[in-house]
């Protein structure tokens, strides 16, 4: 690895500033330990001792319902905090393969020193969610990303806030509710939540306590398998103070999102509808021997015609220099997020069509067009 230095300091940065020296020392250390990045060695001493990687230690595990697990995670020093409504990417290794999924913190917006609270529903077809529900233990270390996402509270307080959620979609809007409460918001708040049964409401106790403590909070719970009118209708928004000018936030299953959007338009609410949904794309039918399509390296902006070789080889041929080590699928140094497309594991022959998942570049070849975040 070569180290580039500059005679002139970066504009606005003193030549001897701590940040510049930290970056320089880090580069020297990583170069000395090449081909493996320094974090691969530090994790042998302590998984939470990292130079660049953001990770988190699970410090508390709860099961508020039979189908959910609540994790309190303490991030490493790289964590920059989160805004209410944002999500993080959490990664775990299952049977030797690293998998990444997006989850929204449920705690109020917090800075770099705050923990992260994730409540995860174990879906029948959710590999990661089922694994965490069954196997997560205090002391486990998981991979994390910085918080991201555009689903957020407005910069100025709304005149009236309406939160609508279904199932696991409760977490980002609960974060917003907790954030408003924490900063003493005095306007009317309406929180409408949908679950199959009362026993499946992961935050039933917490929501009831907030409603009891704050008279401006109107809590409306609906149970789709127990109530005659359990599914959303516009009538569920009756008598909300300031509804015509309210900021309405919705997160949940697609059917709920669509119904709320229709009601929002019919009621003529002046503020735009704020929405967030995590939905799985339909599986893509692919020919595992296909070498057609194009590789998109979304972070660098480069593209290349797929020639069938592993992504690491094709990235290097395109002039990129992804981090890597063994080139045999052992060290996990060359993992990156596949944004979309299908890949084939050249060792096992298995194909993977999941989006937003981490893969090893050295042992996965693109099948058709693939977007990889390098």
């Amino acid at each position: 690895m070569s180290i580039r230095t500059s005679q002139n300091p970066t504009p606005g940065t003193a030549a001897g500033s701590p940040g510049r020296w930290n970056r320089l020392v880090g580069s020297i250390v990583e170069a000395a330990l090449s081909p493996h990045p320094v974090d691969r060695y530090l994790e042998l001493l302590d998984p939470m001792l990292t130079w660049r990687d953001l990770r988190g230690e699970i410090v508390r595990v709860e099961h508020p319902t039979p189908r959910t697990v609540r994790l309190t995670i303490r991030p490493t020093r790289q964590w920059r905090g989160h805004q209410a409504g944002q999500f993080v990417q959490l990664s775990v290794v299952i049977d030797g393969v690293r998998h990444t999924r997006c989850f929204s913190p449920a705690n109020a917006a917090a800075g770099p020193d705050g923990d992260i609270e994730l409540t995860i529903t174990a879906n029948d077809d959710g590999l990661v969610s089922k694994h965490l529900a069954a196997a997560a233990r205090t002391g486990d270390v998981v991979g994390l990303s910085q918080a991201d996402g555009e689903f957020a509270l407005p910069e100025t307080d709304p005149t009236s806030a309406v939160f609508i959620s279904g199932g696991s979609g409760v977490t980002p809007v609960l974060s917003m509710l907790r954030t408003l409460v924490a900063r003493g918001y005095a306007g009317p708040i309406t929180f409408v939540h949908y679950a199959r049964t009362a026993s499946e409401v992961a935050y039933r106790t917490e929501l009831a306590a907030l409603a009891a403590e704050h008279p401006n909070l109107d809590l409306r719970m609906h149970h789709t398998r127990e109530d005659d009118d359990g599914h959303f209708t516009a009538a569920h928004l009756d008598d909300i103070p300031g509804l015509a000018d309210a900021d309405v936030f919705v997160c949940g299953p697609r059917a709920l999102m669509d119904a709320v959007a229709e009601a929002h338009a019919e009621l003529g609410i002046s503020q735009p509808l704020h929405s967030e949904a995590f939905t799985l794309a339909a599986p893509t039918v692919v020919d595992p021997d296909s070498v057609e399509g194009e590789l998109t390296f979304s972070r660098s902006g480069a593209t290349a015609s797929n020639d069938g070789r592993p992504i690491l080889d094709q990235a290097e041929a395109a002039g990129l220099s992804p981090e890597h080590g063994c080139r045999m699928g052992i060290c996990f140094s060359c993992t990156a997020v596949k944004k979309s497309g299908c890949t084939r594991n050249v060792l096992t022959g298995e194909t993977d069509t999941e989006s937003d998942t981490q893969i090893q570049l050295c042992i996965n070849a693109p099948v058709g067009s693939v977007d990889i975040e390098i």
Side-chain angles (χ1 to χ4, degrees):
M1 175 186 295
S2 63
I3 302 177
R4 296 184 180 180
T5 59
S6 174
Q7 299 295 328
N8 300 314
T10 301
T13 303
S17 66
R20 185 172 185 271
W21 280 111
N22 286 342
R23 291 192 296 273
L24 178 59
V25 171
S27 298
I28 293 172
V29 170
E30 290 197 7
L33 296 177
S34 162
H36 300 295
V38 65
D39 283 336
R40 299 293 82 78
Y41 293 88
L42 292 175
E43 68 186 6
L44 298 176
L45 302 175
D46 182 347
M48 289 289 285
L49 182 63
T50 69
W51 183 264
R52 295 187 186 279
D53 291 355
L54 171 57
R55 298 178 189 155
E57 179 183 1
I58 298 175
V59 296
R60 188 174 183 180
V61 179
E62 303 169 90
H63 292 272
T65 76
R67 296 179 61 238
T68 58
V69 60
R70 184 170 302 156
L71 307 177
T72 302
I73 300 174
R74 187 151 299 156
T76 51
R77 61 178 178 81
Q78 296 87 349
W79 175 243
R80 296 195 291 264
H82 80 282
Q83 296 299 314
Q86 290 187 310
F87 64 87
V88 298
Q89 296 182 52
L90 180 148
S91 62
V92 292
V93 175
I94 304 174
D95 296 330
V97 179
R98 185 172 296 277
H99 299 269
T100 302
R101 297 293 186 272
C102 296
F103 301 106
S104 295
N107 51 308
D113 296 331
D115 290 344
I116 304 169
E117 179 186 312
L118 303 179
T119 295
I120 299 163
T121 300
N123 297 312
D124 293 338
D125 56 352
L127 175 65
V128 173
S129 63
K130 288 195 299 184
H131 170 81
L132 291 171
R137 299 291 184 270
T138 56
D140 289 352
V141 175
V142 297
L144 292 173
S145 73
Q146 297 292 351
D148 200 0
E150 302 299 321
F151 189 51
L153 290 168
E155 292 184 3
T156 58
D157 283 349
T159 57
S160 175
V162 179
F163 300 108
I164 305 173
S165 60
S168 58
V170 68
T171 53
V173 292
L174 177 58
S175 178
M176 293 179 181
L177 169 63
R178 285 171 160 174
T179 300
L180 287 180
V181 167
R183 65 192 191 202
Y185 174 77
I189 305 174
T190 306
F191 199 98
V192 188
H193 181 65
Y194 296 84
R196 297 191 299 186
T197 65
S199 63
E200 293 190 38
V201 180
Y203 282 98
R204 178 173 52 176
T205 301
E206 291 81 358
L207 286 168
L210 284 170
E213 186 177 351
H214 300 278
N216 63 323
L217 171 58
D218 178 10
L219 178 62
R220 305 182 180 192
M221 308 294 290
H222 299 277
H223 311 116
T224 58
R225 294 189 178 180
E226 295 177 341
D227 303 342
D228 292 336
D229 63 343
H231 292 277
F232 174 84
T233 68
H236 291 175
L237 304 181
D238 285 349
D239 304 320
I240 291 179
L243 180 61
D245 299 314
D247 278 88
V248 180
F249 304 84
V250 58
C251 184
R254 174 53 57 188
L256 173 63
M257 305 271 289
D258 292 343
V260 172
E262 182 178 348
H264 186 273
E266 291 178 351
L267 293 170
I269 298 174
S270 63
Q271 296 298 318
L273 177 66
H274 310 275
S275 62
E276 178 81 302
F278 298 115
T279 57
L280 296 175
T284 305
V285 179
V286 297
D287 176 2
D289 296 321
S290 171
V291 293
E292 299 176 348
E294 184 175 68
L295 266 175
T296 299
F297 304 105
S298 54
R299 180 173 294 173
S300 61
T303 59
S305 296
N306 176 23
D307 63 16
R309 291 182 297 162
I311 294 173
L312 177 60
D313 296 330
Q314 296 197 56
E316 291 174 333
L320 305 179
S321 301
E323 183 180 301
H324 67 277
C326 68
R327 306 185 78 99
M328 297 184 294
I330 297 174
C331 71
F332 285 92
S333 295
C334 66
T335 57
V337 175
K338 180 185 66 174
K339 303 298 292 182
S340 63
C342 177
T343 52
R344 176 177 57 84
N345 187 307
V346 299
L347 301 181
T348 65
E350 295 182 354
T351 58
D352 180 5
T353 60
E354 289 192 60
S355 300
D356 295 315
T357 187
Q358 287 200 345
I359 63 170
Q360 292 174 272
L361 305 180
C362 66
I363 59 170
N364 280 281
V367 178
S369 294
V370 168
D371 184 344
I372 189 82
E373 198 174 60
I374 57 177

